[in-house]
Amino acid sequence: MTLEVIVLAAGKGTRMRSALPKVLHRIAGKPMLGHVVDRAQALDAKVIHVVIGHGAEHVQAQITADRVNWVMQEEQLGTGHAVRQALPDLGPDTVALVLYGDVPLTRPETLAALVDLVDENHMALLTVHMDDPGGYGRIVRETGGNIVGIVEHKDASAEQLAIHEVNTGILALQSRRLHEWLPRLSNENAQGEYYLTDIIAMAAESGVRVRSVHPGNVAEVQGANDRIQLAELERWYQARAAESLMRAGAALIDPARIDVRGEVEVGEDVEIDINVILSGKVRIGSNVRIGANSSLRDVVIGANSQILENCVLEQCEVAADCTVGPFARLRPGTQLQRAAKVGNFVEVKNAEIGEDAKVNHLTYVGDASIGARSNIGAGTITCNYDGANKHQTEIGPDVFVGSNSSLVAPVRIAQGATIGAGSTITRDVSAGSLAVARGKQREVPDWQRPKKK
């Protein structure tokens, strides 16, 4: 049967002490609601109905996934009221899965197991056993073990408060049951709200039995109501991500000091030092070492390469056997060919560094190509911007550029040429030649330095 997902994401999140809607606070660099939508897409949901209210425009601007249907909840009158807002768009012959925009880390496998329990005579509820169930709705079972109701904490009796199995709020059932039951909800309770959980008693009355699934870890069903809980979920997420990397072949110097904020693939015998941040899509080949305090976003690193300490790489590709850093920055569009070297305090942007080429020290290379085996001396700058447009610098193979040189683009330096140190090159340099372009040195004898008045 076709699956539709309803995500409740209308709350303000007062305890976050933030102007940002609660569901837009981030786990691993992504809004909590983004994680929930990703889970729904992993289940191949036909439509994802996201119920929004507070900060609706900001939420819509941040979440750009496919198959999302935005549903407005003008007043926040409880979970039952929120789900009811999606009824006009909810197909009658589908399975409906209800999720929460501030519960970001439920595994797709857990949700799939929940959905699989739904049929004509059964709905499914995700429950969890907690040592301290304070504040959660309690699961009420009859003598035979069947779930017959959920009692919210504020409405529970002393006997019910002693129950340790609690409701997560995540449930699945046939959509036509929601069309039948939600209009019958009442707000006659301590909160004056329409509780979605009241449909459990309606199910029992209708002869629909309630099955349950338990998550593998309680963190799967924990929400983030304040920044402390948000930080706790972040740590749980990062611990799982670190475990995944280690199983795949990475040695983490300290698994507690790595942040994964995207999709990461690693080869065998990868070593990652402390305080490394991996964002976006990152692919790291075998026998690669990533030095401490480095940040990689949307990059590919070839086998046997080294990214030394304190480097920043973004939207670039590093081939096999390369060395980068320490303190290097590779900006978008950079490509390093095999065995290239980019050294300390070097910035490269939208440039190709050829095989065995070296850019070792204190250099800026932008909008350029550097041929194989060329050597770029310390303090060299490709002057690529004229104040309005960017221009290209082409450096052929086997070129030597002396230190403290400025290459004013557009300019081409042909194969085997040499640029004398301190030169400002404004015209093309022919193959095999020496180009020197610097002011003539002169001396003023008996020069008197200025003195302070």
Side-chain angles (χ1 to χ4, degrees):
M1 186 174 284
T2 303
L3 175 67
E4 295 189 52
V5 174
I6 302 170
V7 183
L8 307 189
K12 181 179 180 179
T14 304
R15 283 182 281 170
M16 285 290 186
R17 303 288 184 183
S18 171
L20 192 69
K22 178 167 71 168
V23 296
L24 293 185
H25 286 267
R26 294 175 178 266
I27 298 288
K30 178 185 293 185
M32 289 192 287
L33 179 57
H35 285 280
V36 178
V37 170
D38 285 350
R39 274 24 175 211
Q41 290 183 320
L43 297 173
D44 198 26
K46 177 184 177 182
V47 186
I48 305 167
H49 306 281
V50 181
V51 182
I52 52 177
H54 177 74
E57 292 183 1
H58 294 292
V59 175
Q60 289 175 287
Q62 287 287 318
I63 307 299
T64 57
D66 296 333
R67 293 175 278 167
V68 170
N69 173 49
W70 299 103
V71 178
M72 280 298 301
Q73 184 187 20
E74 299 294 345
E75 295 182 275
Q76 280 75 63
L77 302 177
T79 52
H81 177 261
V83 175
R84 189 171 179 179
Q85 307 314 298
L87 283 187
D89 300 321
L90 187 67
D93 299 318
T94 62
V95 170
L97 171 66
V98 178
L99 303 176
Y100 296 81
D102 61 350
V103 183
L105 302 183
T106 314
R107 295 181 305 145
E109 304 94 295
T110 301
L111 297 176
L114 191 73
V115 171
D116 286 344
L117 294 180
V118 176
D119 60 27
E120 181 69 23
N121 300 310
H122 295 87
M123 65 174 290
L125 187 64
L126 191 61
T127 70
V128 64
H129 291 272
M130 302 186 72
D131 294 334
D132 179 9
Y136 290 89
R138 306 306 203 273
I139 301 298
V140 179
R141 295 179 182 265
E142 63 183 7
T143 305
N146 296 320
I147 297 175
V148 294
I150 300 173
V151 180
E152 296 299 325
H153 182 89
K154 291 186 178 182
D155 301 314
S157 66
E159 182 181 4
Q160 290 165 337
L161 288 173
I163 298 171
H164 285 262
E165 184 182 12
V166 301
N167 174 43
T168 69
I170 297 173
L171 53 83
L173 72 168
Q174 290 188 337
S175 299
R176 68 181 183 86
R177 300 292 187 183
L178 286 177
H179 284 279
E180 176 186 349
W181 294 334
L182 287 180
R184 294 165 46 194
L185 291 178
S186 168
N187 65 344
E188 294 180 3
N189 51 59
Q191 292 289 88
E193 295 184 349
Y194 296 92
Y195 292 150
L196 180 62
T197 51
D198 286 348
I199 69 172
I200 303 302
M202 295 179 186
E205 294 170 3
S206 303
V208 176
R209 302 186 69 175
V210 182
R211 294 168 166 171
S212 62
V213 168
H214 304 296
N217 189 294
V218 69
E220 284 192 55
V221 294
Q222 286 185 334
N225 293 309
D226 58 32
R227 295 180 186 273
I228 296 171
Q229 292 176 338
L230 188 73
E232 290 171 349
L233 289 181
E234 178 75 35
R235 284 300 94 211
W236 188 81
Y237 179 97
Q238 293 301 340
R240 302 291 80 74
E243 289 175 5
S244 179
L245 288 177
M246 289 186 287
R247 289 193 183 97
L252 307 183
I253 300 304
D254 185 348
R257 287 190 286 175
I258 180 173
D259 271 25
V260 177
R261 301 174 184 172
E263 303 172 14
V264 181
E265 297 179 17
V266 295
E268 296 178 347
D269 298 312
V270 169
E271 181 181 296
I272 302 177
D273 211 330
I274 63 169
N275 301 330
V276 170
I277 301 174
L278 305 174
S279 307
K281 293 186 177 180
V282 177
R283 287 193 289 137
I284 302 174
S286 296
N287 300 303
V288 168
R289 179 181 177 270
I290 310 295
N293 309 313
S294 292
S295 175
L296 282 63
R297 179 187 296 274
D298 295 315
V299 302
V300 177
I301 309 294
N304 307 308
S305 288
Q306 292 191 74
I307 311 301
L308 303 180
E309 290 71 18
N310 301 290
C311 291
V312 178
L313 283 69
E314 182 178 5
Q315 297 177 19
C316 60
E317 295 187 15
V318 176
D321 304 308
C322 292
T323 302
V324 177
F327 295 97
R329 184 183 182 194
L330 304 187
R331 292 170 57 191
T334 296
Q335 292 186 322
L336 270 58
Q337 302 300 330
R338 191 192 67 80
K341 182 176 181 181
V342 171
N344 48 289
F345 302 103
V346 172
E347 180 179 352
V348 184
K349 188 270 295 186
N350 191 31
E352 180 178 347
I353 311 298
E355 186 171 337
D356 282 310
K358 295 177 176 62
V359 187
N360 279 326
H361 320 283
L362 302 159
T363 292
Y364 171 71
V365 176
D367 299 296
S369 60
I370 297 175
R373 299 172 301 282
S374 288
N375 186 93
I376 310 301
T380 296
I381 299 173
T382 57
C383 306
N384 57 326
Y385 184 52
D386 63 8
N389 300 297
K390 300 290 180 70
H391 300 280
Q392 195 77 15
T393 298
E394 297 181 27
I395 299 174
D398 302 304
V399 167
F400 180 89
V401 177
S403 297
N404 197 34
S405 294
S406 298
L407 311 177
V408 183
V411 69
R412 182 177 182 276
I413 301 171
Q415 179 174 0
T418 299
I419 307 300
S423 294
T424 299
I425 301 299
T426 58
R427 293 180 296 178
D428 291 353
V429 178
S430 57
S433 61
L434 168 65
V436 181
R438 56 171 87 114
K440 183 178 180 181
Q441 181 174 318
R442 66 190 184 97
E443 293 185 11
V444 177
D446 301 321
W447 171 250
Q448 298 296 315
R449 294 180 182 174
K451 297 181 178 180
K452 291 183 180 180
K453 294 181 181 179

